[in-house]
Coordinates of all heavy atoms in Angstrom, one line a residue:
M1 N -11.0 -7.8 43.0 CA -9.9 -7.2 42.3 C -8.7 -7.9 42.7 O -8.4 -8.1 43.9 CB -9.9 -5.8 42.7 CG -8.9 -5.0 41.9 SD -8.8 -3.3 42.4 CE -9.2 -2.5 40.8
H2 N -7.8 -8.1 41.8 CA -6.4 -8.7 42.0 C -5.4 -7.8 41.6 O -5.4 -7.1 40.7 CB -6.3 -10.1 41.1 CG -7.4 -11.1 41.4 ND1 -7.3 -11.9 42.6 CD2 -8.5 -11.5 40.8 CE1 -8.3 -12.8 42.6 NE2 -9.1 -12.5 41.5
A3 N -4.3 -8.0 42.3 CA -3.2 -7.3 42.0 C -2.4 -7.8 40.8 O -2.5 -9.0 40.6 CB -2.1 -7.2 43.2
A4 N -1.8 -6.9 39.9 CA -1.1 -7.4 38.7 C 0.3 -7.8 39.0 O 0.9 -7.4 40.0 CB -1.1 -6.3 37.7
T5 N 0.9 -8.7 38.2 CA 2.3 -9.1 38.3 C 2.9 -9.0 37.0 O 2.4 -9.4 35.9 CB 2.2 -10.5 38.8 OG1 1.7 -10.7 40.1 CG2 3.8 -11.0 39.0
V6 N 4.0 -8.5 36.9 CA 4.9 -8.4 35.7 C 5.9 -9.5 35.7 O 6.5 -9.7 36.8 CB 5.7 -7.0 35.6 CG1 6.6 -6.9 34.4 CG2 4.7 -5.9 35.6
L7 N 6.0 -10.3 34.8 CA 7.0 -11.5 34.7 C 8.0 -11.1 33.6 O 7.8 -10.6 32.5 CB 6.2 -12.7 34.2 CG 7.0 -13.9 33.8 CD1 7.8 -14.4 35.0 CD2 6.2 -15.0 33.1
F8 N 9.2 -11.3 34.0 CA 10.3 -11.1 33.1 C 10.9 -12.5 32.9 O 11.3 -13.2 33.8 CB 11.4 -10.2 33.8 CG 12.7 -10.0 32.8 CD1 12.7 -9.3 31.8 CD2 13.8 -10.7 33.2 CE1 13.9 -9.1 31.0 CE2 15.0 -10.6 32.5 CZ 15.0 -9.9 31.3
R9 N 11.2 -12.9 31.7 CA 11.8 -14.3 31.4 C 12.7 -14.0 30.2 O 12.3 -13.9 29.1 CB 10.7 -15.3 30.9 CG 11.3 -16.6 30.6 CD 10.2 -17.7 30.4 NE 9.7 -18.0 31.8 CZ 8.5 -18.5 32.1 NH1 7.7 -18.8 31.1 NH2 8.1 -18.7 33.3
P10 N 14.0 -14.0 30.4 CA 14.9 -13.8 29.3 C 15.1 -15.1 28.5 O 15.1 -16.2 28.9 CB 16.3 -13.5 30.1 CG 16.2 -14.2 31.4 CD 14.7 -14.1 31.7
F11 N 15.2 -14.8 27.2 CA 15.3 -15.9 26.2 C 16.7 -15.9 25.6 O 17.0 -16.0 24.5 CB 14.3 -15.7 25.1 CG 13.0 -15.8 25.5 CD1 12.1 -14.8 25.6 CD2 12.5 -17.1 25.8 CE1 10.8 -14.8 26.0 CE2 11.2 -17.3 26.2 CZ 10.3 -16.1 26.4
V12 N 17.7 -16.1 26.5 CA 19.1 -16.3 26.1 C 19.7 -17.3 27.0 O 19.2 -17.7 28.1 CB 19.9 -15.0 26.5 CG1 19.5 -13.9 25.5 CG2 19.8 -14.5 27.8
S13 N 20.7 -18.2 26.4 CA 21.1 -19.4 27.0 C 21.8 -19.1 28.4 O 21.7 -20.1 29.3 CB 22.0 -20.0 26.1 OG 23.2 -19.1 25.8
W14 N 22.4 -18.0 28.7 CA 23.1 -17.8 29.9 C 22.2 -17.5 30.9 O 22.6 -17.4 32.1 CB 24.2 -16.7 29.7 CG 23.6 -15.4 29.4 CD1 23.4 -14.9 28.1 CD2 22.9 -14.4 30.2 NE1 22.8 -13.6 28.2 CE2 22.5 -13.3 29.4 CE3 22.6 -14.4 31.6 CZ2 21.7 -12.2 29.9 CZ3 22.0 -13.3 32.0 CH2 21.5 -12.2 31.2
A15 N 21.0 -17.2 30.7 CA 20.0 -16.8 31.8 C 19.2 -17.9 32.1 O 18.0 -17.7 32.6 CB 19.2 -15.7 31.2
A16 N 19.6 -19.1 32.4 CA 18.7 -20.2 32.9 C 18.4 -19.8 34.3 O 19.2 -19.4 35.2 CB 19.6 -21.5 33.0
N17 N 17.1 -20.0 34.7 CA 16.5 -19.6 36.1 C 16.7 -18.2 36.3 O 16.8 -17.9 37.5 CB 17.1 -20.5 37.1 CG 16.7 -22.0 36.8 OD1 15.7 -22.4 36.4 ND2 17.8 -22.8 37.0
A18 N 16.7 -17.3 35.4 CA 16.8 -15.9 35.6 C 15.4 -15.2 35.6 O 15.5 -14.0 35.6 CB 17.8 -15.3 34.6
D19 N 14.3 -15.9 35.7 CA 13.1 -15.3 35.7 C 12.9 -14.5 36.9 O 13.4 -15.0 38.0 CB 11.9 -16.3 35.5 CG 12.0 -17.2 34.3 OD1 12.9 -17.0 33.6 OD2 11.1 -18.0 34.1
W20 N 12.1 -13.5 36.9 CA 11.7 -12.7 38.1 C 10.3 -12.1 37.8 O 9.8 -12.0 36.8 CB 12.7 -11.7 38.5 CG 13.0 -10.6 37.5 CD1 14.2 -10.7 36.8 CD2 12.4 -9.4 37.2 NE1 14.2 -9.6 35.9 CE2 13.2 -8.8 36.1 CE3 11.1 -8.8 37.5 CZ2 12.8 -7.7 35.5 CZ3 10.8 -7.7 36.9 CH2 11.6 -7.1 35.9
T21 N 9.6 -11.8 39.0 CA 8.4 -11.2 38.9 C 8.4 -9.9 39.8 O 9.0 -9.8 40.7 CB 7.2 -12.2 39.4 OG1 7.5 -12.5 40.8 CG2 7.0 -13.4 38.5
L22 N 7.5 -9.0 39.3 CA 7.3 -7.7 40.1 C 5.8 -7.6 40.5 O 4.9 -7.4 39.5 CB 7.6 -6.5 39.2 CG 7.4 -5.2 39.8 CD1 8.2 -5.0 41.1 CD2 7.6 -4.1 38.9
P23 N 5.5 -8.0 41.6 CA 4.0 -7.8 42.1 C 3.7 -6.3 42.1 O 4.5 -5.4 42.8 CB 3.9 -8.5 43.4 CG 5.2 -9.1 43.6 CD 6.2 -8.5 42.8
L24 N 2.8 -5.8 41.4 CA 2.4 -4.4 41.6 C 1.4 -4.2 42.6 O 0.5 -5.2 42.9 CB 1.9 -3.9 40.3 CG 2.9 -3.9 39.1 CD1 2.2 -3.6 37.8 CD2 3.9 -2.9 39.4
P25 N 1.3 -3.1 43.3 CA 0.3 -2.9 44.3 C -1.1 -3.0 43.8 O -1.3 -2.7 42.6 CB 0.6 -1.4 44.9 CG 2.0 -1.2 44.4 CD 2.2 -2.0 43.3
L26 N -2.0 -3.4 44.6 CA -3.5 -3.4 44.3 C -3.9 -2.0 43.6 O -3.6 -1.0 44.2 CB -4.3 -3.8 45.4 CG -5.7 -4.2 45.2 CD1 -5.9 -5.4 44.2 CD2 -6.5 -4.5 46.4
G27 N -4.6 -2.0 42.5 CA -5.0 -0.9 41.9 C -4.0 -0.1 41.0 O -4.1 1.0 40.6
E28 N -2.9 -0.8 40.7 CA -1.8 -0.2 39.9 C -1.3 -1.2 38.9 O -0.3 -1.6 38.8 CB -0.6 0.1 40.8 CG 0.5 1.0 40.1 CD 1.7 1.2 41.0 OE1 1.6 1.2 42.3 OE2 2.8 1.4 40.4
P29 N -2.2 -1.5 37.9 CA -2.0 -2.4 36.9 C -1.0 -1.8 35.9 O -1.1 -0.6 35.7 CB -3.4 -2.8 36.2 CG -4.2 -1.6 36.5 CD -3.8 -1.2 37.9
P30 N -0.3 -2.6 35.1 CA 0.7 -2.0 34.0 C -0.2 -1.5 32.9 O -1.2 -2.0 32.4 CB 1.5 -3.1 33.7 CG 0.6 -4.4 34.0 CD -0.1 -4.0 35.2
A31 N 0.2 -0.3 32.3 CA -0.3 0.2 31.2 C 0.6 0.1 30.0 O 0.1 0.0 28.9 CB -0.6 1.7 31.4
A32 N 1.8 0.0 30.2 CA 2.9 -0.2 29.1 C 4.2 -0.7 29.7 O 4.5 -0.5 31.0 CB 3.2 1.2 28.5
V33 N 4.9 -1.5 29.0 CA 6.1 -2.1 29.5 C 7.2 -1.9 28.3 O 6.9 -1.8 27.1 CB 6.1 -3.6 29.8 CG1 5.2 -3.7 30.9 CG2 5.5 -4.4 28.6
A34 N 8.6 -1.9 28.6 CA 9.5 -1.8 27.6 C 10.7 -2.4 28.1 O 11.0 -2.4 29.3 CB 9.8 -0.3 27.2
L35 N 11.6 -2.9 27.3 CA 12.8 -3.7 27.7 C 14.0 -3.0 26.9 O 14.0 -3.0 25.7 CB 12.8 -5.0 27.4 CG 14.0 -5.9 27.8 CD1 14.1 -5.7 29.2 CD2 13.7 -7.3 27.3
G36 N 15.0 -2.4 27.7 CA 16.1 -1.8 27.1 C 17.3 -2.8 27.2 O 17.1 -3.9 27.6
A37 N 18.6 -2.4 26.8 CA 19.7 -3.3 27.0 C 20.0 -3.6 28.3 O 20.5 -4.8 28.5 CB 20.9 -2.5 26.4
R38 N 19.8 -2.8 29.4 CA 20.1 -3.1 30.7 C 19.0 -2.8 31.7 O 19.2 -2.8 32.9 CB 21.4 -2.4 31.2 CG 22.6 -2.7 30.4 CD 23.8 -1.9 31.0 NE 24.8 -1.9 29.9 CZ 25.7 -1.1 30.0 NH1 25.9 -0.3 30.9 NH2 26.7 -1.0 28.9
F39 N 17.8 -2.6 31.3 CA 16.7 -2.4 32.1 C 15.4 -2.8 31.5 O 15.2 -3.0 30.4 CB 16.7 -0.8 32.4 CG 16.3 0.0 31.2 CD1 14.9 0.3 31.0 CD2 17.2 0.4 30.3 CE1 14.6 1.1 29.7 CE2 16.9 1.1 29.1 CZ 15.6 1.4 28.8
A40 N 14.4 -2.9 32.5 CA 13.0 -3.1 32.2 C 12.3 -1.8 32.6 O 12.7 -1.4 33.8 CB 12.5 -4.2 32.8
A41 N 11.2 -1.4 32.1 CA 10.4 -0.3 32.6 C 9.0 -0.7 32.5 O 8.5 -1.3 31.6 CB 10.7 0.9 31.7
V42 N 8.2 -0.1 33.5 CA 6.7 -0.5 33.6 C 6.1 1.0 33.9 O 6.3 1.5 34.9 CB 6.3 -1.5 34.7 CG1 4.9 -1.7 34.7 CG2 7.1 -2.8 34.4
A43 N 5.2 1.3 33.0 CA 4.2 2.5 33.3 C 3.0 1.9 33.8 O 2.4 1.1 33.3 CB 4.1 3.3 32.2
T44 N 2.4 2.4 34.9 CA 1.1 1.9 35.5 C 0.0 2.9 35.4 O 0.3 4.1 35.1 CB 1.4 1.6 37.0 OG1 1.5 2.7 37.8 CG2 2.6 0.6 37.2
T45 N -1.2 2.4 35.4 CA -2.3 3.2 35.4 C -2.4 4.2 36.5 O -3.2 5.2 36.4 CB -3.6 2.4 35.3 OG1 -3.6 1.7 36.5 CG2 -3.6 1.5 34.1
A46 N -1.6 4.0 37.6 CA -1.6 5.0 38.7 C -0.8 6.1 38.5 O -0.5 7.0 39.3 CB -1.1 4.3 39.9
G47 N -0.1 6.2 37.2 CA 0.7 7.2 36.7 C 2.2 7.2 37.2 O 2.9 8.2 37.4
L48 N 2.6 6.0 37.5 CA 4.0 5.8 38.0 C 4.9 5.1 37.0 O 4.3 4.2 36.1 CB 4.1 5.0 39.3 CG 3.4 5.5 40.5 CD1 3.4 4.4 41.6 CD2 4.0 6.8 41.0
L49 N 6.1 5.5 36.8 CA 7.1 4.7 36.1 C 8.0 4.1 36.9 O 8.7 4.6 37.8 CB 7.8 5.8 35.1 CG 8.9 5.2 34.3 CD1 8.4 4.2 33.3 CD2 9.8 6.3 33.6
R50 N 8.1 2.7 36.7 CA 9.0 1.9 37.6 C 10.1 1.4 36.6 O 9.8 0.8 35.6 CB 8.3 0.7 38.2 CG 7.3 1.2 39.2 CD 6.4 0.0 39.8 NE 5.4 0.4 40.7 CZ 5.7 0.8 42.0 NH1 6.8 0.7 42.5 NH2 4.7 1.1 42.8
V51 N 11.4 1.6 37.0 CA 12.5 1.1 36.2 C 13.2 0.0 37.0 O 13.4 0.2 38.2 CB 13.5 2.4 35.9 CG1 14.8 1.7 35.1 CG2 12.8 3.3 35.2
L52 N 13.6 -1.0 36.4 CA 14.2 -2.2 37.1 C 15.4 -2.7 36.4 O 15.6 -2.5 35.1 CB 13.1 -3.3 37.2 CG 11.8 -3.0 37.8 CD1 10.7 -2.8 36.8 CD2 11.5 -4.1 38.8
S53 N 16.3 -3.3 37.0 CA 17.5 -3.9 36.4 C 16.9 -5.1 35.8 O 15.8 -5.7 36.1 CB 18.6 -4.1 37.5 OG 18.2 -5.2 38.4
L54 N 17.8 -5.8 35.1 CA 17.5 -7.0 34.4 C 17.4 -8.3 35.3 O 17.0 -9.3 35.1 CB 18.3 -7.3 33.2 CG 18.3 -6.4 32.0 CD1 19.2 -6.9 30.9 CD2 16.9 -6.2 31.6
T55 N 17.9 -7.9 36.6 CA 17.8 -8.9 37.6 C 16.6 -8.7 38.5 O 16.4 -9.5 39.5 CB 19.1 -8.9 38.6 OG1 19.2 -7.6 39.1 CG2 20.3 -9.3 37.8
G56 N 15.8 -7.8 38.3 CA 14.5 -7.5 38.9 C 14.6 -6.5 40.1 O 13.6 -6.4 40.8
V57 N 15.6 -5.9 40.3 CA 15.8 -4.9 41.3 C 15.3 -3.6 40.8 O 15.7 -3.0 39.8 CB 17.2 -4.7 41.8 CG1 17.4 -3.6 42.8 CG2 17.9 -6.0 42.2
Q58 N 14.3 -3.0 41.6 CA 13.7 -1.6 41.2 C 14.8 -0.7 41.5 O 15.2 -0.4 42.6 CB 12.4 -1.4 42.0 CG 11.8 -0.1 41.5 CD 10.4 0.0 42.1 OE1 9.5 -0.5 41.6 NE2 10.3 0.9 43.2
T59 N 15.1 0.2 40.5 CA 16.2 1.2 40.6 C 15.7 2.5 40.8 O 16.3 3.4 41.1 CB 17.3 1.1 39.5 OG1 16.5 1.3 38.3 CG2 17.9 -0.3 39.5
D60 N 14.4 2.7 40.1 CA 13.9 4.1 40.3 C 12.4 3.9 40.1 O 11.8 3.1 39.5 CB 14.4 4.9 39.1 CG 14.3 6.4 39.4 OD1 13.9 6.8 40.5 OD2 14.6 7.1 38.5
V61 N 11.6 4.9 40.7 CA 10.2 5.1 40.5 C 9.9 6.6 40.6 O 10.5 7.3 41.3 CB 9.5 4.3 41.6 CG1 9.7 4.8 43.0 CG2 7.9 4.3 41.3
C62 N 9.2 7.1 39.6 CA 8.8 8.4 39.5 C 7.3 8.6 39.0 O 6.8 7.7 38.4 CB 9.8 9.1 38.6 SG 9.9 8.7 36.9
R63 N 6.8 9.7 39.3 CA 5.5 10.0 38.8 C 5.5 10.6 37.5 O 6.2 11.5 37.2 CB 4.8 11.0 39.9 CG 3.4 11.4 39.4 CD 2.4 11.6 40.5 NE 2.3 10.7 41.6 CZ 1.5 9.6 41.6 NH1 0.9 9.2 40.6 NH2 1.5 8.9 42.7
L64 N 4.6 10.1 36.6 CA 4.4 10.7 35.3 C 3.7 12.0 35.3 O 2.7 12.2 36.1 CB 3.8 9.6 34.3 CG 4.7 8.3 34.2 CD1 3.8 7.3 33.4 CD2 5.9 8.6 33.5
A65 N 3.9 12.9 34.4 CA 3.2 14.2 34.2 C 1.7 13.9 33.6 O 1.0 14.9 33.7 CB 3.9 15.0 33.4
G66 N 1.4 12.8 33.2 CA 0.1 12.5 32.7 C -0.2 11.1 32.7 O 0.5 10.3 33.2
S67 N -1.2 10.7 31.9 CA -1.6 9.3 31.9 C -0.7 8.5 30.9 O -0.4 9.0 29.8 CB -3.1 9.2 31.3 OG -3.9 9.8 32.2
P68 N -0.1 7.4 31.2 CA 0.7 6.6 30.3 C 0.1 6.3 29.0 O -1.0 5.7 29.1 CB 1.3 5.6 31.2 CG 0.2 5.3 32.2 CD -0.4 6.7 32.5
V69 N 0.7 6.4 27.9 CA 0.2 5.9 26.7 C 1.0 4.8 26.2 O 0.3 3.7 25.9 CB 0.2 7.1 25.6 CG1 -0.1 6.5 24.3 CG2 -0.7 8.3 26.1
T70 N 2.3 5.0 26.1 CA 3.2 3.8 25.7 C 4.6 4.1 26.2 O 4.9 5.2 26.5 CB 3.2 3.7 24.2 OG1 3.7 2.5 23.8 CG2 3.9 4.8 23.5
L71 N 5.4 3.0 26.2 CA 6.9 3.1 26.4 C 7.5 2.4 25.1 O 7.0 1.5 24.6 CB 7.3 2.3 27.6 CG 6.6 2.8 29.0 CD1 7.1 1.8 30.1 CD2 7.1 4.2 29.3
A72 N 8.7 2.9 25.0 CA 9.6 2.3 23.9 C 11.1 2.4 24.4 O 11.4 3.4 24.9 CB 9.5 2.9 22.7
A73 N 11.8 1.4 24.3 CA 13.2 1.3 24.6 C 14.2 0.8 23.6 O 13.8 0.0 22.7 CB 13.3 0.4 25.9
A74 N 15.3 1.4 23.6 CA 16.4 0.9 22.6 C 17.7 1.3 23.3 O 17.9 2.5 23.7 CB 16.4 1.6 21.3
G75 N 18.6 0.1 23.5 CA 19.8 0.4 24.1 C 19.6 0.9 25.6 O 19.0 0.4 26.3
E76 N 20.2 2.2 25.7 CA 20.1 2.7 27.1 C 19.0 3.9 27.2 O 19.0 4.6 28.2 CB 21.5 3.4 27.4 CG 22.6 2.6 27.3 CD 24.0 3.2 27.5 OE1 24.0 4.5 27.5 OE2 25.0 2.5 27.5
H77 N 18.1 3.9 26.3 CA 17.1 5.0 26.1 C 15.8 4.5 26.3 O 15.4 3.4 25.8 CB 17.3 5.8 24.9 CG 18.6 6.5 24.7 ND1 19.5 5.9 24.0 CD2 19.1 7.7 25.1 CE1 20.7 6.7 24.1 NE2 20.2 7.7 24.7
L78 N 15.0 5.2 27.0 CA 13.6 5.0 27.2 C 12.7 6.1 26.8 O 13.0 7.3 27.3 CB 13.3 4.7 28.8 CG 11.8 4.4 29.1 CD1 11.4 3.1 28.5 CD2 11.7 4.4 30.6
L79 N 11.8 6.0 25.9 CA 10.8 6.9 25.4 C 9.5 6.7 26.2 O 9.0 5.7 26.1 CB 10.6 6.8 24.0 CG 9.6 7.9 23.4 CD1 10.2 9.1 23.3 CD2 9.2 7.5 21.9
V80 N 9.1 7.8 26.8 CA 7.8 7.7 27.7 C 6.7 8.7 26.9 O 7.2 9.8 26.8 CB 8.1 8.2 29.0 CG1 6.8 8.1 29.9 CG2 9.1 7.3 29.7
V81 N 5.7 8.2 26.6 CA 4.6 8.9 25.9 C 3.5 9.0 27.0 O 3.0 8.0 27.4 CB 4.2 8.4 24.6 CG1 3.1 9.4 24.0 CG2 5.4 8.3 23.6
T82 N 3.0 10.2 27.3 CA 2.0 10.5 28.2 C 0.8 11.3 27.6 O 1.2 12.0 26.6 CB 2.4 11.1 29.4 OG1 3.0 12.4 29.2 CG2 3.3 10.2 30.3
A83 N -0.4 11.4 28.0 CA -1.5 12.3 27.6 C -1.8 13.0 28.7 O -2.0 12.5 29.8 CB -2.5 11.4 27.0
L84 N -2.1 14.4 28.4 CA -2.5 15.3 29.6 C -3.4 16.4 28.8 O -2.9 17.0 28.0 CB -1.2 16.0 30.2 CG -1.5 17.0 31.4 CD1 -2.2 16.1 32.5 CD2 -0.2 17.6 31.9
G85 N -4.6 16.4 29.3 CA -5.5 17.3 28.7 C -5.7 17.1 27.1 O -5.9 18.1 26.4
G86 N -5.7 15.9 26.8 CA -5.9 15.6 25.3 C -4.7 15.8 24.5 O -4.8 15.7 23.2
V87 N -3.6 16.2 25.0 CA -2.4 16.4 24.3 C -1.3 15.3 24.6 O -1.1 15.1 25.8 CB -1.8 17.8 24.5 CG1 -0.5 18.1 23.8 CG2 -2.9 18.9 24.3
L88 N -0.6 14.8 23.6 CA 0.4 13.8 23.9 C 1.7 14.5 24.1 O 2.1 15.5 23.5 CB 0.6 12.9 22.6 CG -0.6 11.9 22.4 CD1 -0.3 11.2 21.1 CD2 -0.9 11.0 23.5
H89 N 2.5 14.0 25.2 CA 3.8 14.5 25.5 C 4.7 13.3 25.5 O 4.5 12.2 25.8 CB 3.7 15.2 26.9 CG 2.8 16.3 27.0 ND1 3.1 17.6 26.7 CD2 1.5 16.3 27.4 CE1 2.0 18.4 26.9 NE2 1.0 17.6 27.3
Y90 N 6.0 13.6 25.2 CA 6.9 12.6 25.2 C 8.2 13.1 25.9 O 8.6 14.3 26.0 CB 7.4 12.1 23.9 CG 8.2 13.0 22.9 CD1 9.6 13.0 23.0 CD2 7.6 13.9 22.2 CE1 10.4 13.9 22.3 CE2 8.2 14.9 21.4 CZ 9.7 14.9 21.5 OH 10.4 15.7 20.7
T91 N 8.9 12.1 26.5 CA 10.2 12.4 27.3 C 11.1 11.3 26.9 O 10.7 10.1 26.8 CB 10.0 12.3 28.8 OG1 8.9 13.3 29.1 CG2 11.3 12.7 29.5
L92 N 12.4 11.6 26.6 CA 13.4 10.6 26.2 C 14.4 10.7 27.4 O 15.0 11.6 27.7 CB 14.1 11.0 24.9 CG 15.2 10.0 24.5 CD1 14.6 8.7 24.2 CD2 15.9 10.5 23.3
L93 N 14.5 9.5 28.0 CA 15.3 9.2 29.2 C 16.5 8.4 28.9 O 16.4 7.5 28.2 CB 14.6 8.7 30.4 CG 13.3 9.4 30.8 CD1 12.5 8.6 31.8 CD2 13.6 10.7 31.4
G94 N 17.7 8.6 29.5 CA 18.8 7.9 29.5 C 18.8 7.0 30.9 O 18.8 7.5 31.9
V95 N 18.7 5.7 30.8 CA 18.6 4.9 32.0 C 19.6 3.9 32.3 O 19.4 3.1 33.2 CB 17.1 4.3 32.0 CG1 16.1 5.2 32.1 CG2 17.0 3.3 30.8
A96 N 20.7 3.8 31.5 CA 21.8 2.9 31.7 C 22.4 2.9 33.0 O 22.6 1.9 33.7 CB 22.8 2.9 30.6
A97 N 22.7 4.1 33.5 CA 23.3 4.3 34.8 C 22.3 3.9 35.9 O 22.8 3.2 36.9 CB 23.6 5.8 35.0
A98 N 21.0 4.1 35.7 CA 20.0 3.7 36.8 C 20.0 2.2 36.9 O 19.8 1.6 37.9 CB 18.8 4.3 36.4
A99 N 20.0 1.6 35.8 CA 19.8 0.1 35.8 C 21.0 -0.6 36.3 O 20.9 -1.7 36.9 CB 19.4 -0.4 34.3
S100 N 22.2 -0.1 36.1 CA 23.4 -0.8 36.4 C 23.9 -0.4 37.7 O 24.6 -1.1 38.4 CB 24.5 -0.6 35.5 OG 24.8 0.8 35.2
A101 N 23.8 0.8 38.3 CA 24.3 1.3 39.6 C 23.2 1.8 40.5 O 23.6 2.3 41.6 CB 25.2 2.4 39.3
G102 N 22.0 1.9 40.2 CA 21.0 2.4 41.1 C 20.9 3.9 41.1 O 20.3 4.4 42.1
A103 N 21.4 4.5 40.2 CA 21.4 6.0 40.1 C 20.0 6.4 39.5 O 19.3 5.6 38.9 CB 22.5 6.6 39.3
A104 N 19.7 7.7 39.7 CA 18.3 8.2 39.4 C 18.5 8.2 37.9 O 19.3 8.5 37.1 CB 18.2 9.6 39.9
V105 N 17.1 8.1 37.3 CA 16.9 8.2 35.8 C 17.1 9.6 35.4 O 16.6 10.6 36.1 CB 15.5 7.8 35.5 CG1 15.1 8.1 34.1 CG2 15.3 6.3 35.9
G106 N 17.8 9.9 34.3 CA 18.0 11.2 33.9 C 17.6 11.5 32.5 O 17.4 10.5 31.7
A107 N 17.2 12.7 32.3 CA 16.8 13.1 30.9 C 17.9 13.4 29.9 O 19.0 13.7 30.4 CB 15.8 14.3 31.1

């Protein structure tokens, strides 16, 4: 068994050599990823949501209330969809402050 790695590679001219990787712990492969205006998010099969700045600094990690289904991001918002007991649940988070200042992710 190998540990998973998330690779971020921006496709903008100002970001030369701005690639970064996030090695995930063994047994915690990614289930979903999303990219917002100032953050990247990874939901893992271990039920964790990891939020990172665009420079690769992890700004927050929290436990999801169910199994991750998908993530979607737009601007400063992150939509998290989970499944628990056969029912889908969603949470809309504001993450701009977390990505830029290291503050906690807020609903």
